[in-house]
Amino acid sequence: MRGIFTAFILIGWLASGANAQTLVLETVDASANVVGEYTSLALDASGNPHVSYFDNTTDDLKYARKSGGVWTIETADGSANNAGFSTSLTLDASGNPHVSYYDATTGNLKYAVRTSTTSVPGAGAGTERLALAVAPNPAGAGGALVS
């Protein structure tokens, strides 16, 4: 089954004529995967949308951001776990994403924050991959690097 994640993101109301308004809809992830569950949206200082969501085909937490009119999609938690449910996304003052989400395999609430971006070998110039560090929980579990 092919899934297309269309974000109902209010980019702006377009007016043409008296009181006419149109909602702008965009497809964020047009992969063959079933995607787009458990979404969360944040806008950066420039008004660009950032979205966290669950990929039901790969059982991964995904993160997408739009910049310069182009969506970039990254796997934030690609562990073997079934992780990425009930995402909540915010951006800090530097524009770095912070995501809380549920890992159904371990039964843990997890927190991921951007620690760096790294080049993706063979992906072409200017392509980056988000590297998130999963913060350890108070009981001391977790803390693995997720990339």
Side-chain angles (χ1 to χ4, degrees):
M1 173 180 227
R2 186 172 199 279
I4 296 177
F5 172 34
T6 300
F8 295 93
I9 299 172
L10 179 60
I11 306 271
W13 289 102
L14 302 177
S16 60
N19 299 323
Q21 296 180 339
T22 303
L23 182 63
V24 177
L25 303 177
E26 294 187 33
T27 298
V28 174
D29 185 339
S31 68
N33 294 353
V34 178
V35 294
E37 294 180 279
Y38 308 105
T39 63
S40 183
L41 169 71
L43 300 177
D44 63 25
S46 298
N48 294 313
H50 297 245
V51 182
S52 61
Y53 60 96
F54 179 65
D55 183 327
N56 197 35
T57 302
T58 62
D59 296 330
D60 292 333
L61 171 66
K62 296 285 183 88
Y63 168 72
R65 70 183 186 279
K66 185 176 180 184
S67 180
V70 177
W71 284 99
T72 301
I73 302 167
E74 303 154 21
T75 300
D77 186 336
S79 66
N81 293 354
N82 190 6
F85 294 92
S86 303
T87 71
S88 181
L89 169 69
T90 191
L91 303 174
D92 64 23
S94 297
N96 294 314
H98 296 253
V99 183
S100 65
Y101 60 101
Y102 178 68
D103 182 327
T105 302
T106 63
N108 290 329
L109 173 65
K110 290 189 173 179
Y111 166 72
V113 60
R114 175 183 290 214
T115 57
S116 66
T117 55
T118 56
S119 296
V120 178
T127 303
E128 296 181 334
R129 179 172 180 179
L130 181 68
L132 292 176
V134 178
N137 68 25
L145 176 65
V146 179
S147 61

